[in-house]
Amino acid sequence: MGLSHRTRVVIGTADCDALGHMNVARYFALCNQNGFAMQTAMGWNPGDTVDGQRLSFAVVHSESDFKSEVMEGEALVVETDISEISNRSATFRNRIWREDGAPVFESHWKSVLLDLETRRAAHIPEPFREALARYMTL
């Protein structure tokens, strides 16, 4: 199995909604932040200019399962890896669980590599493809 990027977070008051649990938008925000952190760890900062191009992934399709309610003060682990890489896209697998291993959320995001100048899908450069491949799951 490949690498994964993990981040530990503690859910605060601002993460929760009027119902007293973590708001749905926060699940996606945690995965998005973790995915950007993973890319930065690869040496590919989202939005940076590399070889004359400003590139970043943009989600075009997502499928998600909410497995458990999360309350203020709970400590969670957010994990991101990659399940598929094609010429212009990658599918990111995001999982959130409690520190005891109980699952909270899982989501798969198909994302195209976007040229931020032309606003069109771009081919994944070979050095970036190699970095992404290290995070591939079996």
Side-chain angles (χ1 to χ4, degrees), residues 39-83:
Q39 291 175 64
T40 299
M42 290 179 200
W44 195 279
N45 297 318
D48 278 1
T49 300
V50 177
D51 295 331
Q53 287 185 297
R54 283 187 60 231
L55 302 170
S56 186
F57 278 107
V59 177
V60 294
H61 180 78
S62 70
E63 291 185 19
S64 303
D65 291 306
F66 295 84
K67 298 176 182 276
S68 179
E69 185 176 45
V70 175
M71 308 304 280
E72 180 180 350
E74 288 194 67
L76 304 174
V77 176
V78 183
E79 180 177 46
T80 303
D81 52 35
I82 299 176
S83 61

Side-chain angles (χ1 to χ4, degrees), residues 1-4 79-84 91 93 95 108 132-138:
M1 183 164 196
L3 299 172
S4 62
E79 180 177 46
T80 303
D81 52 35
I82 299 176
S83 61
E84 182 179 347
T91 301
R93 182 176 67 157
R95 291 180 310 278
H108 292 81
L132 289 167
R134 291 193 306 265
Y135 287 83
M136 283 285 295
T137 58
L138 297 175

Side-chain angles (χ1 to χ4, degrees), residues 10-17 20-22 69-75:
V10 176
I11 301 309
T13 303
D15 300 315
C16 298
D17 58 25
H21 58 216
M22 187 166 77
E69 185 176 45
V70 175
M71 308 304 280
E72 180 180 350
E74 288 194 67

Side-chain angles (χ1 to χ4, degrees), residues 109-130:
W109 297 359
K110 181 174 184 178
S111 300
V112 297
L113 188 62
L114 184 67
D115 181 315
L116 296 175
E117 301 304 324
T118 66
R119 309 310 282 185
R120 298 206 179 274
H123 284 281
I124 299 173
E126 193 55 37
F128 192 27
R129 177 182 297 285
E130 291 170 8

Side-chain angles (χ1 to χ4, degrees), residues 5 7 9 11 14-16 22-38 59 62 64 66 76 78-80 94-96 105 107 109:
H5 191 82
T7 303
V9 296
I11 301 309
D15 300 315
C16 298
M22 187 166 77
N23 184 274
V24 65
R26 190 65 178 128
Y27 291 83
F28 290 95
L30 288 172
C31 295
N32 189 57
Q33 291 164 352
N34 200 57
F36 279 161
M38 181 179 82
V59 177
S62 70
S64 303
F66 295 84
L76 304 174
V78 183
E79 180 177 46
T80 303
N94 303 289
R95 291 180 310 278
I96 302 174
F105 178 77
S107 188
W109 297 359

